[in-house]
Amino acid sequence: AVTLRHLLCLLTGAVSGEREVFAEYLLSIYQFYRFSASFIFVVTILISYTKIFPLNSYFITGAAVLATLYLIRIIRLFIIFINKNIS
C-alpha cells in the first residue's frame, strides 16, 4: 500500500505538472507514518509490560491519538493545496 501510494502520488504530480506539491504531500505522509509508528510502539510496550492502567484505556488512547494524527495529516494536505493555489 505504501509503494502504491508513493507511485500514485509521483504519477499524479507528473501528469498534473505539480511535482513539488505532491512531493510535499508525500513528505507529510511519511512524517505521519513515523509519528504514528513511534506512538504505537510506546503503547505496545506499555500494554505488554505494565499494569498501571486498564487495558481498554490504552486502546482508547491509542485510537484517539491516531485519529488526531490522521486529522492533522488531512489538514496539512488542504494547507499545501491552498498555499499552492490548487483547486
Side-chain angles (χ1 to χ4, degrees), residues 11-83:
L11 181 67
T12 305
V15 170
S16 67
E18 299 288 343
R19 289 184 181 193
E20 179 183 328
V21 173
F22 285 96
E24 191 173 344
Y25 177 58
L26 274 175
L27 178 67
S28 70
I29 289 174
Y30 293 140
Q31 285 176 345
F32 166 76
Y33 289 155
R34 276 191 214 110
F35 292 144
S36 61
S38 300
F39 180 74
I40 290 172
F41 176 73
V42 170
V43 169
T44 303
I45 295 300
L46 288 174
I47 288 172
S48 299
Y49 296 110
T50 64
K51 300 293 181 197
I52 297 172
F53 298 110
L55 203 56
N56 288 341
S57 65
Y58 291 122
F59 290 116
I60 292 171
T61 304
V65 170
L66 288 178
T68 304
L69 286 173
Y70 191 74
L71 184 64
I72 290 170
R73 176 180 152 186
I74 291 172
I75 290 170
R76 286 188 72 185
L77 169 68
F78 288 138
I79 289 172
I80 290 169
F81 281 4
I82 288 171
N83 286 340

